[in-house]
Amino acid sequence: MFAYAAMTPSVEFVNGMSIPIIGLGTYDMTDDQSVMSRVLTDAIDVGYRHIDTAYIYQNEEIIGRSLTQMFANNTTKRKDLFITSKVWSTFHKRSAVVEALKLSLNNLGLDYLDLALIHWPIALKSGTGYLWPLDENNMTLDENISVVETWKGMEDAYRLGLAKSIGVSNFNSEQLSRVLKHSFIKPVVNQFETHPYLSQEKLVQFCHNNSIQVIAYCPIGKADKGLLNEPILTTIAAKNNKTVPQVMLRWLIQRDIIVIPKTSKRQRLMENINIFDFQLTDEEMTEIFKLNKNQRFINPTEAVNNREYPFHIPY
Ligand SMILES: NC(=O)c1ccc[n+]([C@@H]2O[C@H](COP(=O)([O-])OP(=O)(O)OC[C@H]3O[C@@H](n4cnc5c(N)ncnc54)[C@H](OP(=O)(O)O)[C@@H]3O)[C@@H](O)[C@H]2O)c1
């Protein structure tokens, strides 16, 4: 029980809340109730205290039912967990943000989130019956809403106590600057893709300079075969008696980045959290940076015409 819990450190947000450095990603984990209950039980058993979900993942309800069960049988307590969810792009009007977070809380069976994020800066047309509405050319049906308006909705949600902290995801530095300039409550987090093929040095630096913590999604590059077999990574892994995913996660946490790898296998849950007993040297860190080729695994190109599409500029 709790094999690694004592070794799992946290970092502080600018608002004083602390977030465990490693969390469990849950994208694509929609199988069924029993699978989710088993994964969450295993995750908590081996030391995870931080769970990352989103309205669009359509698994909030099964996560919520699993958690309710675990709270009831005292496997864990609400106050010991850090739970994140995200406002989907069809809820970007200021008034819709609170509605979106109330839906997520209801799905999850919770009174509050530890962290609520704007999932993407892009606003999509609401009321179409689709969460990813497309036109006849397969381009997104957009709404003309700026990130600043949506951020005001996040501030409303924070004041209502729906989330203990608020942040963003997939924002570039220009979008963050606009939000920082026009906000009363600053975003504490930007969650975005980073791994050895997409090092994101400038965006990480920008966030850290502005007291915004970075959460890495796809931290092991979706277990891409090329990445898993990169000679630099396999050599460093062998030298440290670790696996390539452990080296990738360690490289991120040594850059002061929080990681949320996804797996539904108990063995890999243990493998991915067992990264606090070794240290990469400066030379090894530099060698891994050299693998960068600005390669994204996640890029919603159907939204390139959206006024807030984030990847038109380098960072
Ligand atoms: N904010 C956003 O827009 C955004 C976008 C994408 C993702 N996310 C979040 O970030 C989380 C992580 O990203 P991700 O799930 O896309 O990618 P990821 O965590 O980099 O990779 C997940 C894949 O790697 C496999 N895997 C996990 N551990 C492994 C290990 N030790 N060895 C070999 N394979 C391993 C998993 O398979 P098995 O399950 O079979 O082990 C799964 O196929 C998501 O789950 C989600 O919570 C956020």
Side-chain angles (χ1 to χ4, degrees), residues 15 22 46 51 70 73 102 158-159 165 225 247 258:
N15 68 5
I22 183 155
V46 305
I51 300 163
M70 291 161 107
N73 64 23
K102 283 184 175 169
Y158 177 83
R159 290 191 192 98
S165 44
K225 288 271 178 309
V247 167
I258 298 150

Side-chain angles (χ1 to χ4, degrees), residues 273-287:
I273 204 171
N274 190 7
I275 52 173
F276 298 103
D277 60 351
F278 76 116
Q279 181 94 17
L280 298 174
T281 63
D282 290 348
E283 292 73 26
E284 288 169 333
M285 293 293 290
T286 305
E287 283 301 299

Side-chain angles (χ1 to χ4, degrees), residues 6 59 67 111 113 122 145 206 213 228 249 263 297 299 315:
N59 60 13
L67 291 176
D111 301 330
L113 293 168
I122 57 176
I145 301 173
F206 178 91
Q213 294 286 353
L228 289 183
L249 295 169
T263 181
F297 292 102
N299 186 352
Y315 74 98

